[in-house]
Amino acid sequence: MLRESSWRRRARWFRCAIAAMAAGTAVLPPPDARAASGDPAPTASPLSPATPAYFRFLYPMYAKAPRPAEIYRQGGIPAIVPKLEVDWDPFGRVGTYLPNGPVQTAANAFFQALGTNGRSCATCHQPSSGMGLSLRNIKARFNATGGKDPLFAPVDGANCPPAAPPGSTPTTNRAAYSVMLDRGAVRIPLPWPPRDAGGMAKPVEFDITITPQADKPGCNVDSTYGVTAGYVSVYRRPLMAAQMNFKTLRANGKGPILPGSLMWDGREPSLEQQAINATLGHAQATHAPTTAELRQIVQFQNGIFSAQLIDGAAGRLDAQGAKGGPVHLAKQVPEQAVGPTFDEYQRWAGGAAKARSIARGQDIFNNRLFIIQNVAGFNDRVDVGNPAVGSCSTCHNVAHAGSDALAGPQRDIGIGGTAQFIGGPKPAASLPRFTLTCHADAIPHPYLGRGPIVTNDPGMALLTGKCADIGKFTLPQLRALAAREPYFHDGSARTLKAVVDVYNQRFNVGLTAQDEEDLVSFLAAL
């Protein structure tokens, strides 16, 4: 029997939250009991020798960023995540499945506020959003709490910390939170120039220029948080935190992870280190999670599965011979596909109208060939060539999940402006517009040369300093897409139709209106 109570529980929670705040009862005690008094800044560094160089440089900046004036209880977290939770989304209902049974959130570190600003992992990774963060979810929490949900902590929920001084909220100062509220993107600060293990600046192959007129959110020209202070701020969507064994290709949680598979730029070496850095950074903790807490967080991410379960027109996606939904996903082995990436809807080719549309979309995804060219990180590989012939499944090749099985799966398809002259979108005026100029002695970008290159986000190049890495981003998973809009790393595609349009134009795929409708139907059924 399907459980649909979580949606109603959340609606009740939001109503209760408003009443509690009105009564002055919604303020939490300091979330980090280990830092319950005085200045939350640590007296000794909590960083371990394994901390990546980029985060070693960033931590003092995270630590000094302002905390919310009042810390309210995290929104949208029920007392128990059931074995199978079902939540509404624009295309039907998304399912979240725990094969090992229900989880009590109060006893699981993934849901606990381990820092000083009220945030937990679940702040940006919620079952109702396919273990990601939908714009619907963000707006509901904004409306319910007047912007006092920990999601809006100034450290990175605001466009820039100084834009949201103590006492300021999205209600009174919405412009300071415009990127979060309009794109669902979080501010990601990175060192510039990038740092080596000893904290020294790495050699870089390009210069970054940004003017106040080109820096719409304003953080890159800020004297404390901007380029002159040694930081570059970009704005990226939270990735989903479910079936992470399909992202790292660790069967049963064992063996080394797929290198470079985590985060939009591949910067984290493991789920454990990612959890540490997120807790110390996004949650502004004074201490890293304990070994037991880390184990619990990682086990939860590898042991929860999220996928669309019900289509509004086709019905159950695991019925009539189909293998959609999270329960079937949990039974699969993380591996590169041998043949088509997805086979969930082969049996629906002769079904009702919407079922046939989904099956046709799956066939287009797996088998429709088109010319792939000028994609850095793909076409410049010696075993690929430029141009190459492939399908959607060529790059989205992890069976049943749609991520990439190659080590270092970062590609530049042109989101953010790097392909604006070959069919890609232009840089957005509402995000930073960086001008990058590669040095004369640098290996040039394989398709953009030495520039100048205008982009909203240099991507992987902010970590490596290499001209050839400009615009590269990690291929994400494709499950539960219907529940976690908007799309791409910068939230630039509001709908799945917009995603399909970008690819159709960028690679001249030649999709008809019916093809696009079928492909959207399939992507929404993943």
Side-chain angles (χ1 to χ4, degrees):
M1 180 177 178
L2 293 179
R3 294 194 56 169
E4 300 183 27
S5 59
S6 61
W7 180 79
R8 295 185 179 90
R9 287 201 305 273
R10 286 186 176 83
R12 286 197 300 271
W13 184 91
F14 286 135
R15 289 194 296 270
C16 292
I18 295 171
M21 281 186 284
T25 60
V27 179
L28 281 176
D32 188 345
R34 296 164 293 185
S37 63
D39 186 350
T43 57
S45 174
L47 306 181
S48 74
T51 302
Y54 91 89
F55 191 79
R56 190 175 296 279
F57 182 82
L58 290 179
Y59 178 68
M61 183 272 294
Y62 277 116
K64 72 182 179 184
R67 274 72 170 169
E70 295 177 290
I71 298 175
Y72 287 81
R73 293 191 181 277
Q74 173 73 55
I77 297 180
I80 295 176
V81 178
K83 186 171 183 177
L84 178 62
E85 174 170 326
V86 182
D87 294 285
W88 295 88
D89 63 43
F91 287 88
R93 295 171 192 139
V94 65
T96 305
Y97 179 59
L98 291 160
N100 296 322
V103 166
Q104 292 186 349
T105 56
N108 191 288
F110 188 90
F111 297 92
Q112 293 171 0
L114 302 178
T116 63
N117 60 18
R119 287 177 170 178
S120 69
C121 302
T123 299
C124 292
H125 305 284
Q126 300 209 337
S128 61
S129 292
M131 293 307 294
L133 184 65
S134 71
L135 202 53
R136 290 170 294 111
N137 181 289
I138 292 169
K139 290 180 177 179
R141 289 155 70 178
F142 165 66
N143 291 334
T145 68
K148 296 179 181 179
D149 188 287
L151 175 63
F152 301 102
V155 60
D156 52 22
N159 296 346
C160 196
S168 172
T169 72
T171 302
T172 61
N173 190 15
R174 189 188 190 284
Y177 298 83
S178 62
V179 180
M180 170 72 77
L181 292 171
D182 295 340
R183 290 175 174 264
V186 176
R187 185 179 73 92
I188 303 295
L190 292 168
W192 187 257
R195 302 286 158 161
D196 63 20
M200 302 298 293
K202 289 182 180 179
V204 295
E205 297 179 352
F206 60 91
D207 297 322
I208 292 180
T209 302
I210 189 164
T211 65
Q213 294 75 23
D215 190 30
K216 180 66 173 179
C219 211
N220 287 290
V221 297
D222 184 84
S223 60
T224 301
Y225 293 90
V227 175
T228 58
Y231 309 108
V232 168
S233 287
V234 289
Y235 300 83
R236 298 174 183 169
R237 294 274 294 131
L239 288 156
M240 76 180 309
Q243 62 265 0
M244 291 303 294
N245 54 330
F246 281 83
K247 196 72 179 65
T248 62
L249 296 191
R250 294 183 76 187
N252 299 318
K254 298 179 180 179
I257 73 166
L258 183 69
S261 61
L262 299 175
M263 314 303 286
W264 282 111
D265 49 18
R267 67 183 182 270
E268 296 292 5
S270 66
L271 286 171
E272 289 83 358
Q273 191 63 54
Q274 189 275 328
I276 292 171
N277 293 350
T279 302
L280 292 173
H282 299 306
Q284 296 178 283
T286 60
H287 296 272
T290 66
T291 300
E293 288 167 342
L294 286 175
R295 185 183 304 113
Q296 201 171 47
I297 291 170
V298 171
Q299 286 178 347
F300 183 80
Q301 292 181 86
N302 284 327
I304 189 168
F305 298 84
S306 187
Q308 192 76 349
L309 180 60
I310 297 174
D311 181 86
R316 291 276 306 219
L317 295 168
D318 55 0
Q320 300 177 356
K323 297 183 291 184
V327 177
H328 277 288
L329 178 59
K331 298 175 182 177
Q332 307 303 320
V333 176
E335 60 186 358
Q336 186 172 10
V338 179
T341 297
F342 295 101
D343 63 5
E344 276 71 0
Y345 300 107
Q346 286 181 340
R347 299 283 296 275
W348 274 15
K354 186 58 182 293
R356 291 198 308 273
S357 178
I358 292 171
R360 289 194 302 266
Q362 177 177 269
D363 183 67
I364 292 170
F365 185 95
N366 286 330
N367 301 311
R368 179 70 60 87
L369 298 179
F370 53 90
I371 301 299
I372 306 173
Q373 58 184 341
N374 300 333
V375 176
F378 178 73
N379 290 116
D380 51 327
R381 291 171 54 96
V382 295
D383 56 340
V384 175
N386 187 40
V389 177
S391 67
C392 301
S393 63
T394 299
C395 292
H396 293 281
N397 54 57
V398 172
H400 309 289
S403 48
D404 194 330
L406 293 177
Q410 284 77 40
R411 314 280 178 261
D412 176 17
I413 64 169
I415 304 303
T418 57
Q420 62 176 310
F421 301 114
I422 52 173
K426 296 179 180 179
S430 59
L431 294 175
R433 284 168 290 160
F434 302 98
T435 299
L436 313 178
T437 305
C438 300
H439 300 166
D441 59 348
I443 297 174
H445 189 284
Y447 309 114
L448 302 175
R450 293 189 171 87
I453 302 166
V454 179
T455 180
N456 294 130
D457 189 335
M460 186 181 176
L462 290 176
L463 296 180
T464 66
K466 295 184 179 299
C467 179
D469 290 335
I470 292 171
K472 289 183 181 178
F473 292 93
T474 308
L475 268 74
Q477 295 190 70
L478 299 181
R479 300 308 294 246
L481 289 171
R484 49 189 182 93
E485 82 294 335
Y487 306 102
F488 294 132
H489 68 269
D490 58 358
S492 57
R494 297 283 178 163
T495 65
L496 288 173
K497 172 66 162 55
V499 172
V500 172
D501 286 342
V502 167
Y503 280 100
N504 196 27
Q505 182 172 336
R506 168 70 175 85
F507 297 112
N508 195 24
V509 182
L511 298 174
T512 66
Q514 184 63 60
D515 290 338
E516 289 203 4
E517 180 182 333
D518 293 342
L519 194 49
V520 168
S521 295
F522 166 66
L523 294 173
L526 287 176

